[in-house]
Amino acid sequence: MSSARVDYIAPWWTYWLNQFPHVNLRFQSLDHTFKPQDENYQQSLIFLGCVAAAGLGVNLLCLAIYLSCLCCCRKDEEEEESKKSNSCCVTWAAVAAGLICCIAVGVGFYGNSETNDGVYQLTYSLYNANHTLAGVDSLVTGTMGGMQSGLKDHLSRLDEIFAARGDFVQTLHFMQQMADNVIKQLLGLPDWEKAKVDLAAIADQTAYMEYYRWLTYLLILILDLVICLVACLGLAKQSRWLLTTMMVFGVLTLILSWASLGADVATAVGTSDFCVSPDKFLMNQTKDVISSDIVHYYLYCSQTLPNPFQQSLTVFQRSLTTMQMQIQGLLQFAVPLFPTAERDLLNIQHLLNNSEASLHQLTALLDCRGLNKDYLDALMGVCYDGVEGLLYLCLFSLLAATAFSIMLCAIPRAWRQIANRERDYDDMDDGDPFNPQSRRMTTSHPVNMHSFGSYSSSIGSQTSLHPPTQTQTVSNAPVSEYMNQTALFGGNPRYENVPLIGRGSPPPSYSPTMRATYLSMTEDQIRHFGEDFRA
């Protein structure tokens, strides 16, 4: 084994994962050898999943403590000074959760694709190896069938034809011995049927499981992204029911993230245990089916290693050559004497030619380079792409758990701020002119404004305008008077139209148009609108 050239080198992350503690459920330390049939080894992988479950428990406990403290905190902490900072914290927490969630989804898509590529390469190599072994089995079975049945029938008929010639009969017996020798060499080859069935079953089961694994992770990734986007939409629209719904889905997604983390870590560790020493595991698995020399020949495929099939194939070739020479001699010397023997001799010659073609194909299929390439491709797919993809999926689970933990911390604060804002809004005075509800009520009941233009166009309409009294200058309706004066002076938004009546404001500035309009007023108009507009 020291002279064998190893073409496969396990990646560094498989050695790192192989160093993870292997402890069964009775807390007994185990070696790191890949033994999937061993119960203790299976328990060591389950133990890694239990560690992830413990992490989920700690995460949920911390969230429960945080939410309890948030619900039980005193109302004194809800002062106006802290509202702006709390809103800022919620905003930054939402931004951080959204960014981490998007990064997690991107990492998850990449890891899912890498794992799928690795498993596909594994199944493709298994199917190729299975096709090679099936070809070997088919050639061996066909050659043996031709030697045992077809050749035997032809030799029996020729034995009857050549019964009068002892030398010809002796040649036929010698050919039968050569045929038996070929059958013996073919029987000496390993029985690939069992190995072929095992490879096909493993490939089918692996492809089936990988499809549902890939689909499950795809749905989880889409679910995480949708929940994150809908939660951000709920924060933007300040929808309490939407935030509450996303909080429930966030808890479920958090549980899924920790569960997927445990499954990925256990799978990655188990696969790495295999990748560290795959040849040892395969030799232990095939020791009852195929000899260790043959397995070693295919695993390492070095030019320094002897071909275990070389002797059998050489005997096979020499036996066929000898039989063909005997048939050529009988065709040359026996056919002129026994013309009826020509048909059987030609059929035997055709059978030997087919057997020689099968021999060349069998030699090519039994060469180690084909199966060794499939073996190395499978290892590269599993141990490089597959395990690397599992590590990215583990990172995705951690990032997703972090993002949804932040989101579960931010949503209750946002929900609380929305409730406080609605309560403060309901507590506003309906008589406050700056209350939005009051403004809406004022808009729904418009004030009858007096227009200076309408007054000047019809003197008779002055009876509808009542002169303001002294108490009206300090009335409680500055808004309506402001609107009247705005209409009076044309409503130019570039200048301050009227003084803030009754509030002790400084004199306003008037536009040239407004001043010209004022100077053109009659004395009756000035008396009607009061002395407030004198220059």
Side-chain angles (χ1 to χ4, degrees), residues 326-356:
Q326 298 297 326
I327 291 297
Q328 288 292 338
L330 291 176
L331 287 173
Q332 182 178 1
F333 298 106
V335 169
L337 300 176
F338 304 97
T340 56
E342 183 179 6
R343 180 179 179 182
D344 289 313
L345 290 174
L346 291 176
N347 288 334
I348 292 176
Q349 188 180 38
H350 179 71
L351 178 62
L352 294 177
N353 292 333
N354 291 336
S355 298
E356 187 176 6

Side-chain angles (χ1 to χ4, degrees), residues 319-331:
S319 300
L320 288 178
T321 303
T322 303
M323 294 172 67
Q324 288 176 343
M325 292 174 62
Q326 298 297 326
I327 291 297
Q328 288 292 338
L330 291 176
L331 287 173

